[in-house]
Amino acid sequence: MILTVTELRQHVASGLPDDALMRLLEAAENDITAKYGSAGAVTEYLDGGFEKLVLGRRVGIITSVKEYADTDSPTTLATDDYRIDGYMLWRLDTGTNPGTAWAGQVQVIHTPPDTEVDRVRLQVALVKLDLSYSGYTAEATQDESRSPMPDYQLARRRVLNTYTSDALLVK
């Protein structure tokens, strides 16, 4: 859970009951996770045969790296067997288990950098959009002039695309 209803109420004023706001929070979090992945540990499987691997998420901390050159007994690599460079994992020909290329299938378990601040900002923005959306294509004011309402799905996509942290981007 990114935000609780109590935490959300610090950012928005709404007369909706807690359970209704919780549904909006859950929908926003589901959209964030669908687009950017979960905030916790990630397990990626990649094909070897190359000097470097390009991971789907930026690396914060690596828990383990295993090569499955022989499916019966994977080799758990030491931290001196590879080098991290953002999204890339380079195989080193020095270290405990030297190699010039990644062997077989490679399993990388890692945690992306902390993105909590961006996720909170995005969840608040999505809920604010939901709260402001009336469902009408135009709204009249007291003087009866009509103002067009923004396309909801387009507005939601724009909000989801405002993440500034490249740690969240999925390659």
Side-chain angles (χ1 to χ4, degrees), residues 24 36 49 68 74 103 122 127 132-134 142-143 159 169:
L24 295 177
Y36 295 106
Y68 288 84
L122 185 55
V127 171
S132 69
Y133 182 67
S134 67
Q142 281 184 328
D143 65 1
V159 169
L169 299 178

Side-chain angles (χ1 to χ4, degrees), residues 76-156:
T76 301
L77 300 182
T79 56
D80 63 353
D81 293 329
Y82 55 87
R83 179 174 54 89
I84 305 165
D85 184 13
Y87 291 93
M88 292 194 259
L89 201 58
W90 295 83
R91 189 66 166 95
L92 302 176
D93 59 3
T94 58
T96 307
N97 303 288
T100 56
W102 293 97
Q105 179 114 29
V106 181
Q107 178 195 57
V108 181
I109 301 174
H110 67 96
T111 303
D114 184 20
T115 58
E116 183 180 357
V117 171
D118 285 329
R119 288 175 182 272
V120 166
R121 182 186 59 78
L122 185 55
Q123 189 178 34
V124 168
L126 288 170
V127 171
K128 283 182 176 180
L129 176 66
D130 287 343
L131 291 171
S132 69
Y133 182 67
S134 67
Y136 297 109
T137 57
E139 287 188 348
T141 60
Q142 281 184 328
D143 65 1
E144 293 302 320
S145 64
R146 300 241 175 229
S147 59
M149 296 298 294
D151 177 280
Y152 174 76
Q153 293 301 326
L154 177 62
R156 196 162 184 84

